[in-house]
Amino acid sequence: MDDVVIGIDASTTAVKAIAFTRGGEELFQAREAYPLSNPRPGHFEQDAEHWWTALLGALKQVADKVDTARVAAIAIAHQRETFTLIDSAGKPLIPAILWLDERARLQVIRLSAELGRETIRDWSGKPPDPTPALYAVRWLAEHQPQALGKAAALVDVHGFFVQRLTGRLVTSTASADPLGLLDVGNGTWHPQLVQAAGLRPDQLPDLVAPGTVCGGLAESVARLTGLKAGTPVVAGAGDGQAMGLGMGVCREGKSYLSLGSGVVSGCYSGKVKTSDAFRTLVSPTGAGYMLETVLRSGMQLVDWIVRTTGSPSAAALEKPAVDVAAGSEGLLVMPYWAGVMSPYWDGAARGAVVGLSLDHRPEHLFRAVLEGIAFEQAIASEAMEDQNGGKPAAMIAAGGGTNSALLMQIMASVLERPLSVSPVNEAAALGAAMLAASAVGWFASPEAAAEAMTAELAKRVDPVDGLVSRYRVRKAIYRDLYQATRDIHARLDALG
């Protein structure tokens, strides 16, 4: 009885393989971690073979716990923008370059000058920024031309896995799109962007819509994992889009807020729209688009504050921070520890702490960080929603940040809207599982799968009346902070 699908989430730190039922219930979860390399400042890499070893291990754990006769299909969600080069046998030729990587900031400037900043944005849906792979590929063309020239293919994480699992060089449009090489309106490789990156068209995988069966599990992989040979491997999506699907955001009227290492918010649009206020991505359902804002320093900034202040945990800082008055007694934090994407798209930007005095303690700084993250999200949400018909009726929050009662209270009050909290801890894997469930005919469409497999929302966090007006005034001041510090950051960056 094939009543189970496996959703894979290959994140920046680990592969998770999770068995789900038709109702979206999690049966078993396996997790296999892998290392992250930072060989030079601004360079972030991984060995793609570590991804593969982790995937095999995670799938084997699931196969050992769940009757493999029950597994109807597998689908993949994954870290976006990350890519590697492979030879004709599928062997990596270089360390994978991650979405965190900042080596290509000069190439962002060069390509923007060559093609036009708005032209790139309108073709790809993504304002120029070091995150999409387009610029790192151009960096390879300039610094490692031999490796790029002899590569059989450039693959995202999804394409790498599908080639290993099935033998086919194919990836999902919703997985390839974040690379920045797609014509977002047509869902095809954009010839001028491909050429500008320094690639040949024959070096790119075939594209299929998310929810399409890419092929069957190879016999050799079946032997290594214990799964059935021929098990359908279904085209998935990048983890951000898959997460939105797993939270039930696949039509207009809802938005999602992921409070993870970075803070990602998105909403559905039936039509392609491009703007500096957001980036535009292929929808994980294959119909329409996701408009998305990204703050690269989210909960990882909270972790940084904990380490830097020598506190034992975030909870140890949050407890006294609850008693700090809104506004953190004059502190403002601009959370650009890793640059800024929407709405400024400035990789050279850096964080700022404004207003420090001898009276401030670690709990003030902790609360100011949470407030800065909330101010930044509010400004990003307002800019995106102004161009997409106003506030969606519901915003659903997920991720590790939802475990902080103080952050949720601040976020709801700064955003001036209630936040519903998703009970799903692994929304990206669930989104992949929804695509698998639709592909094998359990449901008529990914949207129907999302409706059937989405759990009821666990709780709702409402704005606090006494905080809304205080934060509204402070948000107006915060809004000017980037412009006030931009020239200073640019001058410091030029010094190296």
Side-chain angles (χ1 to χ4, degrees):
M1 180 181 181
D2 53 351
D3 61 346
V4 172
V5 287
I6 298 175
I8 294 164
D9 178 14
S11 71
T12 311
T13 57
V15 166
K16 285 158 277 187
I18 307 176
F20 292 97
T21 68
R22 292 182 186 228
E25 177 189 358
E26 183 179 315
L27 291 181
F28 180 76
Q29 176 182 150
R31 182 182 187 275
E32 294 279 345
Y34 33 70
L36 171 66
S37 173
N38 182 204
R40 295 172 59 189
H43 290 226
F44 291 90
E45 301 174 346
Q46 284 174 331
D47 183 343
E49 293 292 356
H50 291 160
W51 302 341
W52 179 240
T53 300
L55 177 63
L56 291 177
L59 288 174
K60 188 173 189 311
Q61 286 185 58
V62 174
D64 288 344
K65 293 291 184 180
V66 177
D67 181 358
T68 56
R70 299 175 64 186
V71 178
I74 299 167
I76 302 160
H78 55 92
Q79 56 171 310
R80 300 179 292 183
E81 295 94 17
T82 297
F83 72 95
T84 191
L85 304 176
I86 59 173
D87 64 16
S88 57
K91 182 180 178 180
L93 297 174
I94 62 168
I97 298 178
L98 267 65
W99 65 276
L100 287 165
D101 199 277
E102 294 184 324
R103 75 184 67 182
R105 281 163 52 184
L106 182 59
Q107 284 68 34
V108 173
I109 296 170
R110 287 176 179 168
L111 282 174
S112 296
E114 288 176 20
L115 299 177
R117 185 182 178 284
E118 287 74 23
T119 299
I120 293 174
R121 182 196 68 195
D122 294 342
W123 282 348
S124 69
K126 292 137 198 79
D129 173 81
T131 306
L134 164 63
Y135 309 98
V137 180
R138 175 64 172 261
W139 184 93
L140 286 172
E142 295 175 10
H143 293 270
Q144 297 181 28
Q146 288 184 329
L148 189 63
K150 72 178 184 180
L154 176 145
V155 287
D156 55 32
V157 179
H158 185 282
F160 180 77
F161 279 155
V162 171
Q163 195 275 339
R164 289 284 180 98
L165 292 169
T166 71
R168 290 191 64 203
L169 185 59
V170 62
T171 194
S172 160
T173 53
S175 296
D177 173 51
L179 296 174
L181 295 165
L182 246 63
D183 180 333
V184 71
N186 296 325
T188 56
W189 299 114
H190 196 292
Q192 285 149 292
L193 291 173
V194 170
Q195 182 181 27
L199 287 164
R200 305 186 308 271
D202 65 284
Q203 290 177 301
L204 295 166
D206 292 335
L207 294 168
V208 296
T212 303
V213 176
C214 296
L217 195 69
E219 289 274 1
S220 59
V221 180
R223 288 193 297 271
L224 292 170
T225 61
L227 294 170
K228 294 181 298 180
T231 300
V233 177
V234 175
D239 53 8
Q241 302 118 291
M243 174 189 61
L245 180 61
M247 293 162 67
V249 180
C250 53
R251 295 186 177 92
E252 292 174 348
K254 292 181 180 178
S255 63
Y256 60 86
L257 176 64
S258 172
L259 298 169
S261 296
V263 177
V264 180
S265 180
C267 62
Y268 178 85
S269 172
K271 298 180 180 179
V272 64
K273 301 174 184 177
T274 61
S275 168
D276 280 358
F278 49 80
R279 59 184 193 166
T280 308
L281 295 148
V282 171
S283 167
T285 65
Y289 303 89
M290 301 303 294
L291 311 182
E292 186 180 272
T293 69
V294 182
L295 173 62
R296 292 178 70 152
S297 299
M299 295 307 101
Q300 67 176 350
L301 179 52
V302 174
D303 293 340
W304 183 88
I305 290 294
V306 171
R307 294 195 309 272
T308 303
T309 58
S311 301
S313 66
L317 277 176
E318 180 165 339
K319 186 175 181 180
V322 170
D323 296 325
V324 173
S328 304
E329 296 188 19
L331 276 184
L332 274 180
V333 170
M334 188 170 67
Y336 298 165
W337 266 240
V340 59
M341 293 176 68
S342 52
Y344 305 120
W345 306 100
D346 183 356
R350 287 297 178 261
V353 181
V354 178
L356 274 171
S357 76
L358 293 172
D359 295 324
H360 289 120
R361 299 182 300 277
E363 57 263 34
H364 292 89
L365 189 56
F366 182 82
R367 182 173 186 122
V369 164
L370 302 187
E371 290 172 343
I373 290 170
F375 290 145
E376 189 66 27
Q377 184 57 52
I379 290 169
S381 291
E382 289 166 9
M384 179 171 65
E385 291 163 3
D386 283 348
Q387 298 189 43
N388 198 43
K391 283 185 181 181
M395 178 174 270
I396 304 164
T402 61
N403 296 320
S404 168
L406 179 58
L407 174 59
M408 294 301 291
Q409 181 190 81
I410 291 170
M411 188 68 74
S413 300
V414 172
L415 290 171
E416 300 187 30
R417 69 185 81 186
L419 298 174
S420 298
V421 181
S422 172
V424 179
N425 291 323
E426 301 295 346
L430 178 57
M434 290 170 176
L435 291 171
S438 172
V440 296
W442 291 0
F443 306 102
S445 65
E447 292 87 351
E451 185 175 345
M453 297 174 74
T454 301
E456 292 186 12
L457 298 175
K459 62 179 180 179
R460 177 173 135 155
V461 179
D462 291 307
V464 178
D465 290 340
L467 296 181
V468 171
S469 58
R470 293 182 191 179
Y471 281 139
R472 192 179 296 158
V473 172
R474 285 165 175 79
K475 182 178 67 177
I477 298 170
Y478 174 87
R479 195 183 293 270
D480 296 332
L481 196 55
Y482 169 73
Q483 296 297 339
T485 61
R486 182 178 63 175
D487 290 344
I488 294 171
H489 289 136
R491 288 164 64 188
L492 289 172
D493 185 60
L495 293 174

